[in-house]
Amino acid sequence: MTRKKTTAPDPRQHSRLVTDGVKQTPSRAMLRAVGYVDGDFDKPSIGVATTWSNITPCNVHLDGLAVAAAAAADGAGGKSRIFNTITVSDGISMGSPGMRYSLVSREVIADSIETVTGAQGFDGLVAIGGCDKNMPGCMMAIARLDRPAVFVYGGTIRPGAKRRDIVSVFEAIGGHANGSVSDAELHEVEATAIPGAGSCGGMYTANTMASAIEALGLSLPNSSAQEAVSATKLEDCRRAGEAVVRLVKAGIRPSHILTRKAFENAITVVIALGGSTNAVLHLLAIAHAARVRLTLDDFTRIGKRVPVLADVKPSGKYLMSELIAIGGIRPLMKRLLDAGLLHGDALTVTGGTLGESLAGAPDYPAGQAIVRPIADPIKKDSHLVILYGNLAPEGAVAKITGKEGLRFEGTARVFDSEEASLQAILDGTVRAGDVVVIRYEGPKGGPGMREMLSPTGAIMGKGLGDKVALITDGRFSGGSHGFVVGHVSPEAAVGGPLALVRDGDRVTIDARKRVLELGVSAAELKRRAAKWRAPKPYAERGVLAKYAREVTSASLGAVTDLEPAKAPAARRKR
């Protein structure tokens, strides 16, 4: 029998094109000026991409984490270089025109990491993200480049006074509007909710995406469940620096890890944790970058058999730090694996399988109340409900835990911007029984698909959380809760049915039937559509205008690197 000849991976597959040979002498001369010596040119070149800035507490500490990862990569036999990319703060820009740039930043981050890594010939990559769009941006770049890589999460913030977090502040605004929170109390909440570095403290988008990435296999065990300011997070960075060098030498690339099974694992973990609706948008985008077919209907298929188990904020009681204290997400993943809900044979950046990495994971301590047993879930199926109907032919994403009820029928109260809706909520125009419709906030129409934390926070703060529903072609913060439906597709700005809703129309949201329906006849909708005219674009030049021209539907992940003529048709069904 003749054995097939195998070729060992070249650990300098990319860097040698930049540094080897006489013709690349100028490259080596430049690199000597930033610290290279003779022996360094024979080592794999490792890029460490950090989204550090002091713009936001989520990212303010990432420079130190990057230094730790780089030093560890050097110690493992690589030669590292640190580079930076942008971040924007959702929490700071929320409710303002600046929030239009949030989802845009995901694309800029992905493009910039791809650009630097490709230009400099890095053989491996450590990417460090701390805020909502940093993480999917890093992952999209990693998937596109397909070079050995490890993602590091910057970690969660510690709780503020009285277990407060950023959502406490948004909801206090609603309380202030209805008189239950005084000026002094509002100031006290403002001054104590955010105590230092780290990402927002509930199972909001940052912690959701960190958990999803660990389930995908692209971060090391426990990376998603560590406080930002902790010895364990520094150790995570050191382990990542060492791991990427091992991956380079072994020739293990993201395409070996980011399989369909990996994405199914990520969806499963997001559901079990009660995670953010943004995970739907971002996992679709990462899958697109990885050339893995993933659709909205995969979330429905998986969601029918995966329960919600974690009683975490925003809809639950507990913060991420409290989940970390009882063991993080590893015991949860082990339970899911033992129940046959995870693919244990999926490869991870450890070099082994998910099942192997979970083999020794301990269970949660007896008596803890944060994570429920699979046999006694908070909800027996997913809280992420994909809805279709005459209001959402291409789909919409609802976050319905069951605490809000499973069906809402009410009267449309229509707003053409987030600002107009917020004013109406705070001044009492919005009342019990209303379905707040916020449109022209989609990927193209916003542009940038703003998050509606200000309106949803005001609704909860005013005590209307179980009395008012909200639907939008925009997004929701991971901190939003209540009867909310986002990502309505096609969006209003391209003539989607949301553009045709009028005040007083009846709207039905049914999580059991997975329906989002407008109580208006097809003939009437056709008459309204004939009179509809697209609004003037918000931006006519610059990055927002470019984004609006290029971005696809939310049902496809709102990506910008898909030619419209080649874009797959979204499924249309009731």
Side-chain angles (χ1 to χ4, degrees):
M1 176 175 147
T2 304
R3 295 189 175 215
K4 185 178 179 180
K5 185 177 179 181
T6 59
T7 304
D10 178 5
R12 298 190 57 245
Q13 176 183 353
H14 302 284
S15 61
R16 70 172 62 257
L17 301 177
V18 175
T19 62
D20 288 11
V22 172
K23 73 180 182 66
Q24 296 305 124
T25 301
S27 305
R28 296 192 297 276
M30 295 282 283
L31 288 169
R32 289 179 189 278
V34 296
Y36 271 61
V37 296
D38 283 345
D40 292 336
F41 296 107
D42 298 322
K43 300 174 182 177
S45 180
I46 306 298
V48 179
T50 169
T51 57
W52 172 86
S53 78
N54 66 358
I55 285 174
T56 170
C58 309
N59 297 63
V60 70
H61 61 303
L62 299 190
D63 52 344
L65 300 187
V67 170
D74 292 344
K79 178 59 180 175
S80 66
R81 279 178 283 164
I82 298 172
F83 65 98
N84 219 64
T85 183
I86 68 160
T87 187
V88 301
S89 171
D90 290 3
I92 295 171
S93 62
M94 195 75 69
S96 79
M99 188 64 192
R100 301 179 195 278
Y101 291 89
S102 172
L103 192 58
V104 176
S105 77
R106 185 189 73 177
E107 309 304 302
V108 176
I109 291 164
D111 291 350
S112 63
I113 293 175
E114 178 190 352
T115 298
V116 175
T117 301
Q120 302 310 129
F122 293 134
D123 300 300
L125 180 68
V126 175
I128 306 174
C131 198
D132 295 7
K133 308 310 171 296
N134 301 170
M135 286 172 273
C138 289
M139 288 295 296
M140 289 160 67
I142 285 170
R144 291 179 197 167
L145 289 159
D146 200 24
R147 302 182 190 188
V150 179
F151 176 80
V152 175
Y153 175 42
T156 192
I157 197 170
R158 290 173 176 166
K162 302 179 183 178
R163 298 180 63 251
R164 290 181 178 131
D165 63 3
I166 185 61
V167 176
S168 307
V169 187
F170 281 96
E171 293 184 358
I173 295 171
H176 185 265
N178 70 11
S180 63
V181 175
S182 69
D183 290 349
E185 288 169 331
L186 183 63
H187 182 268
E188 195 259 338
V189 172
E190 173 191 326
T192 61
I194 313 295
S199 298
C200 298
M203 193 52 64
Y204 311 143
T205 302
N207 284 317
T208 297
M209 288 310 302
S211 301
I213 293 167
E214 183 170 332
L216 280 170
L218 254 293
S219 63
L220 290 168
N222 282 322
S223 182
S224 66
Q226 296 162 341
E227 290 184 336
V229 182
S230 66
T232 51
K233 180 47 64 182
L234 279 172
E235 180 59 25
D236 181 39
C237 294
R238 288 190 283 267
R239 291 188 301 133
E242 295 167 351
V244 74
V245 176
R246 288 196 301 272
L247 293 171
V248 168
K249 292 178 178 178
I252 297 174
R253 304 193 311 276
S255 58
H256 300 141
I257 296 171
L258 294 176
T259 62
R260 183 170 178 82
K261 287 183 177 181
F263 282 96
E264 291 184 348
N265 285 346
I267 293 170
T268 296
V269 169
V270 167
I271 292 169
L273 289 168
S276 168
T277 54
N278 279 316
V280 178
L281 192 77
H282 297 325
L283 287 172
L284 289 172
I286 297 166
H288 167 70
R291 299 181 183 275
V292 172
R293 179 168 173 77
L294 195 71
T295 70
L296 286 175
D297 292 337
D298 288 312
F299 289 83
T300 298
R301 175 178 56 82
I302 295 168
K304 289 179 179 179
R305 60 187 178 87
V306 178
V308 178
L309 301 174
D311 188 15
V312 288
K313 288 191 172 186
S315 56
K317 299 177 184 177
Y318 297 98
L319 291 162
M320 189 67 182
S321 287
E322 293 165 319
L323 179 60
I324 291 168
I326 63 166
I329 73 167
R330 304 295 287 177
L332 171 67
M333 292 174 69
K334 181 66 162 59
R335 289 182 178 185
L336 293 168
L337 179 68
D338 291 345
L341 296 173
L342 288 178
H343 300 288
D345 58 344
L347 186 65
T348 77
V349 290
T350 64
T353 66
L354 181 67
E356 290 168 343
S357 75
L358 289 172
D363 199 13
Y364 292 115
Q368 63 82 26
I370 302 175
V371 179
R372 300 271 284 271
I374 290 178
D376 182 28
I378 293 169
K379 188 172 185 282
K380 66 180 179 62
D381 55 7
S382 181
H383 65 300
L384 299 176
V385 182
I386 308 303
L387 306 174
Y388 292 93
N390 68 354
L391 261 181
E394 294 178 3
V397 182
K399 185 178 186 180
I400 299 174
T401 65
K403 296 178 181 179
E404 312 84 354
L406 296 174
R407 189 178 188 279
F408 192 102
E409 183 175 351
T411 303
R413 196 172 291 274
V414 183
F415 304 95
D416 289 348
S417 71
E418 177 188 2
E419 288 85 354
S421 73
L422 180 60
Q423 181 59 41
I425 294 164
L426 293 176
D427 68 17
T429 300
V430 170
R431 299 179 180 179
D434 285 346
V435 177
V436 176
V437 177
I438 307 177
R439 62 191 179 192
Y440 300 114
E441 293 285 5
K444 289 182 179 293
M449 209 178 176
R450 289 194 288 179
E451 293 180 346
M452 302 295 141
L453 182 54
S454 292
T456 61
I459 286 170
M460 298 304 293
K462 292 205 71 170
L464 295 171
D466 59 347
K467 301 177 182 68
V468 168
L470 190 154
I471 66 174
T472 180
D473 50 9
R475 296 180 294 129
F476 294 109
S477 162
S480 292
H481 57 124
F483 218 111
V484 297
V485 182
H487 308 202
V488 175
S489 301
E491 62 177 288
V494 299
L498 202 66
L500 310 179
V501 183
R502 294 178 180 173
D503 282 342
D505 288 345
R506 297 296 290 176
V507 177
T508 300
I509 306 164
D510 193 320
R512 288 193 185 94
K513 295 180 179 179
R514 298 186 175 88
V515 164
L516 177 60
E517 194 77 14
L518 183 66
V520 173
S521 70
E524 173 60 17
L525 288 177
K526 187 175 181 180
R527 283 192 289 272
R528 293 182 188 182
K531 297 178 182 178
W532 177 81
R533 297 293 180 269
K536 181 181 178 181
Y538 178 85
E540 296 182 339
R541 58 182 300 179
V543 68
L544 290 179
K546 180 167 65 175
Y547 180 86
R549 287 194 299 270
E550 296 178 356
V551 71
T552 61
S553 168
S555 63
L556 299 174
V559 297
T560 58
D561 62 340
L562 192 67
E563 294 180 37
K566 297 181 180 179
R571 185 175 179 183
R572 295 172 181 259
K573 71 174 188 179
R574 280 287 302 273

